[in-house]
Amino acid sequence: MSGSVARRSTLPGFGLTMGLTLTWLSVIILIPLAGLFLKTFELSFDQFWGIITSRRTLSALRISFGLSFAAALVNLVMGTIIVWALVRYRFPGRRLFDAIVDIPFALPTAVAGVALTQLFAQKGWLGAPLAELGIKVSFTPIGIFVAMIFIGIPFVVRTVQPVLIDLDVEIEEAAASLGANRWHTVFRVILPSLIPALLTGFALAFARAVGEYGSVIFIAGNLPNVSEIAPLLIVIRLSEFRYADATAIAVVMLVASFLIIFAVNRLQRWAQTCIPAH
Amino acid sequence: MSQPQAWSVPADNVHTEPGLIRFAIVAIAILFLIVFVVLPLVVVFAQAFSKGVGAYFSALSDPEALSAIRLTLLVAAISVSLNLIFGVAAAWAIAKFDFTGKTFLITLIDLPFSVSPVISGLVFVLLFGAQGFWGPWLQAHNIHVLFAVPGIVLATIFVTFPFVARSLIPLMQEQGTQEEEAAISLGASGLQTFFRVTLPNIKWGLLYGVLLCNARAMGEFGAVSVVSGHIRGETNTMPLLVEILYNEYQFVSSFAIASLLAILALITLVVKTILERRLDEGHIPSDD
């Protein structure tokens, strides 16, 4: 990509645009986020620790992180299958299904929430047949899991798809001509070079599901300690005017998501150095 | 450019999986997308029209619905235009100049993407709420930020912050600075250079960013829900009204509003696909 040493630009407007950027960034993002951390410092460590280790908070965090992790795993597997089908095969409606993958990105979360709830409710199109099998989805933790799968799938597909498209077919042919069977080629040659993209997609889907609110709260049932996600607990604490509690939970979630972004950035750097450029 | 729509594999791919496995992979992919993505979308329209077309349109012409539509349009118009100005400025500074800390700045701009919507609302409650940092002062001066339109706008700007900058930075970096430098050396002013040289080059990318920014601004739920206070007819946006009506078991009304948002999402996707194709065409292959 680059490689040449960039020259000093002679273009005007650096001071103005940079000033505008930093001002807007501070007003909208940095000061409000700093306020969040400042609020936390009003708590003593024992108070903070007491809030985040209370049974209800711990349950909410466990539900949010645990189910998000499980949903991201499902997205990892299903996303890989979808990418493979979209990139490697030709089938009727391929381009339509390619576009459909973006719907969870585009559909407002509240709309997704009520639609999924209705779909999986006991009298819903999918809820009714599942109820006959004895599986209840809406208003249970399974519902949370389903909503998280819905919102996470585009992250894996859109991260892995360009990498698989760019993958050099010659490597596969080389592997095949050296006597590797298809199974070996796929699992020893192709999948390893997809690993950075797969992990990035997994992390993005996981991070999104952890913070997700709109598409989850309708289908969740929201029973404390059973199906109450951490973002909802923040909202509940706020409505009870327990700002400190809300803030403590928010800080734990924020730090967790910063760690995830950090991991994603490292992954991408690792991918750029380890995967040969094309 | 039409490709044969048949169960075949690309000609350059000599080695592929057995037919049965190919079929299974495609079937699983399609089935998954239908169950998890297509059906929820269909349910929205099925529910919205479950009591007929008349009920659908009377739900949409309800004063509460109209007020929510108006508020959503207002909030989106303000937040998209402000983020548009900021996004262009940020992209100009980042793409056209070299400075230390550029990567860090981009990370900061991306931050709202990784913050839970609920937390995006919470930070403004902590600043402007009754127990917040500036709450008492605002109350003394009778200024309403929280549970009012300014709070909703702030939260919306927060969550839609990265879209325009994000879609412009890679595009402008790729295009370099040569054309602009030529214009400047020929005596054009900075603004002339931007509007005559840069803007025509980035117009599709700019539209792309505005499109995604607008879709998110109109559809945002979590952040807005925290700061809005759900005052009927005053601080309810369309997504909030979907929630309220749904919780009141007014399913036709709830899904009627939801269907408008779903149509918005579908239009966004179609325009996005068109813009992506334009952007690909404008892509100059760089062999040097």
Side-chain angles (χ1 to χ4, degrees):
Chain A
M1 282 277 286
S2 60
S4 65
V5 182
R7 292 159 298 126
R8 271 206 104 68
S9 182
T10 53
L11 294 178
F14 180 69
L16 177 74
T17 53
M18 195 62 179
L20 203 60
T21 303
L22 291 179
T23 311
W24 195 233
L25 185 73
S26 307
V27 169
I28 299 294
I29 311 291
L30 300 182
I31 293 174
L33 281 180
L36 182 75
F37 285 95
L38 224 62
K39 188 82 188 171
T40 326
F41 289 123
E42 288 177 11
L43 296 168
S44 73
F45 183 76
D46 287 342
Q47 282 172 316
F48 179 80
W49 193 248
I51 292 167
I52 59 168
T53 53
S54 75
R55 178 161 175 250
R56 193 163 168 190
T57 310
L58 274 185
S59 308
L61 289 171
R62 198 177 307 128
I63 290 163
S64 276
F65 282 92
L67 287 175
S68 298
F69 192 84
L73 278 181
V74 171
N75 282 331
L76 185 66
V77 175
M78 294 311 300
T80 311
I81 291 175
I82 292 170
V83 168
W84 197 270
L86 290 177
V87 173
R88 289 301 171 97
Y89 307 143
R90 296 289 172 269
F91 54 91
R94 185 180 65 94
R95 297 183 101 175
L96 182 67
F97 281 104
D98 194 348
I100 280 172
V101 170
D102 276 334
I103 286 178
F105 272 158
L107 200 65
T109 56
V111 177
V114 293
L116 286 168
T117 313
Q118 210 68 6
L119 186 61
F120 286 97
Q122 247 167 346
K123 286 180 184 165
W125 294 346
L126 294 177
L130 285 170
E132 277 186 26
L133 298 170
I135 304 168
K136 208 165 162 268
V137 177
S138 277
F139 316 121
T140 69
I142 304 175
I144 303 177
F145 179 58
V146 166
M148 286 171 167
I149 292 174
F150 169 83
I151 48 147
I153 193 68
F155 288 93
V156 176
V157 174
R158 292 302 179 230
T159 318
V160 178
Q161 194 175 24
V163 182
L164 185 62
I165 288 175
D166 282 349
L167 206 67
D168 215 336
V169 187
E170 282 169 31
I171 303 172
E172 282 171 51
E173 282 167 3
S177 69
L178 288 172
N181 64 25
R182 189 63 191 163
W183 186 259
H184 260 91
T185 311
V186 169
F187 284 91
R188 294 277 173 80
V189 180
I190 303 177
L191 278 185
S193 46
L194 293 182
I195 284 175
L198 285 169
L199 286 175
T200 306
F202 172 84
L204 291 173
F206 176 59
R208 172 67 198 263
V210 166
E212 182 57 24
Y213 178 69
S215 52
V216 175
I217 54 158
F218 295 97
I219 202 171
N222 305 327
L223 220 61
N225 302 320
V226 178
S227 55
E228 185 178 68
I229 54 168
L232 178 68
L233 189 56
I234 295 178
V235 173
I236 291 173
R237 291 308 186 214
L238 270 181
S239 67
E240 297 166 345
F241 296 103
R242 291 167 68 175
Y243 284 19
D245 292 48
T247 310
I249 304 167
V251 164
V252 172
M253 291 184 63
L254 258 190
V255 170
S257 44
F258 289 166
L259 290 177
I260 298 172
I261 320 174
F262 182 70
V264 167
N265 283 344
R266 291 302 293 270
L267 269 172
Q268 270 160 350
R269 208 161 301 163
W270 173 59
Q272 273 164 10
T273 50
C274 290
I275 307 295
H278 24 263
Chain B
M1 269 295 287
S2 71
Q3 277 153 340
Q5 297 282 301
W7 291 87
S8 61
V9 289
D12 59 7
N13 195 356
V14 188
H15 306 280
T16 184
E17 292 75 47
L20 196 64
I21 291 181
R22 279 209 307 271
F23 180 81
I25 286 177
V26 171
I28 292 171
I30 290 180
L31 193 69
F32 179 88
L33 286 175
I34 287 177
V35 167
F36 278 92
V37 184
V38 178
L39 278 183
L41 194 67
V42 178
V43 162
V44 172
F45 292 96
Q47 290 285 329
F49 287 103
S50 60
K51 297 264 163 68
V53 180
Y56 176 79
F57 283 106
S58 78
L60 289 184
S61 49
D62 184 85
E64 233 180 295
L66 291 177
S67 124
I69 294 171
R70 260 195 307 274
L71 180 60
T72 296
L73 292 175
L74 174 74
V75 169
I78 301 173
S79 20
V80 172
S81 20
L82 288 176
N83 274 336
L84 170 66
I85 297 169
F86 153 76
V88 171
W92 181 268
I94 289 172
K96 302 287 183 190
F97 298 91
D98 281 302
F99 53 92
T100 45
K102 190 187 271 193
T103 325
F104 183 62
L105 184 62
I106 295 177
T107 311
L108 287 182
I109 291 174
D110 272 344
L111 216 51
F113 278 160
S114 42
V115 173
S116 169
V118 166
I119 298 177
S120 312
L122 168 73
V123 292
F124 293 106
V125 174
L126 294 180
L127 288 184
F128 302 112
Q131 300 175 33
F133 292 105
W134 300 322
W137 186 87
L138 289 170
Q139 239 168 6
H141 292 77
N142 205 22
I143 303 171
H144 300 282
V145 177
L146 218 57
F147 310 142
V149 177
I152 299 177
V153 170
L154 277 174
T156 307
I157 293 177
F158 185 104
V159 294
T160 57
F161 191 84
F163 283 103
V164 176
R166 258 336 226 162
S167 53
L168 285 183
I169 292 169
L171 187 66
M172 283 167 75
Q173 271 175 337
E174 193 182 342
Q175 283 166 351
T177 56
Q178 280 164 352
E179 288 185 42
E180 282 85 358
E181 279 164 7
I184 295 284
S185 72
L186 290 172
S189 74
L191 279 181
Q192 277 176 324
T193 307
F194 176 76
F195 282 105
R196 302 263 179 88
V197 179
T198 313
L199 197 58
N201 281 335
I202 60 167
K203 59 179 184 235
W204 299 123
L206 193 66
L207 260 177
Y208 188 80
V210 166
L211 180 81
L212 298 186
C213 184
N214 177 66
R216 181 71 195 267
M218 290 190 172
E220 178 54 28
F221 175 71
V224 170
S225 161
V226 171
V227 296
S228 121
H230 298 86
I231 305 166
R232 305 194 88 135
E234 274 184 49
T235 62
N236 271 340
T237 60
M238 290 164 74
L240 295 182
L241 192 59
V242 169
E243 178 197 23
I244 289 180
L245 294 171
Y246 188 84
N247 288 339
E248 289 172 349
Y249 303 104
Q250 301 192 44
F251 292 132
V252 171
S253 304
S254 172
F255 280 100
I257 309 279
S259 76
L260 291 185
L261 290 168
I263 291 169
L264 169 78
L266 289 177
I267 294 174
T268 303
L269 278 188
V270 171
V271 179
K272 177 173 164 281
T273 314
I274 295 170
L275 286 178
E276 274 166 359
R277 222 160 283 167
R278 293 258 176 182
L279 282 167
D280 277 346
E281 281 164 16
H283 204 88
I284 309 136
S286 54
D287 290 325
D288 49 328

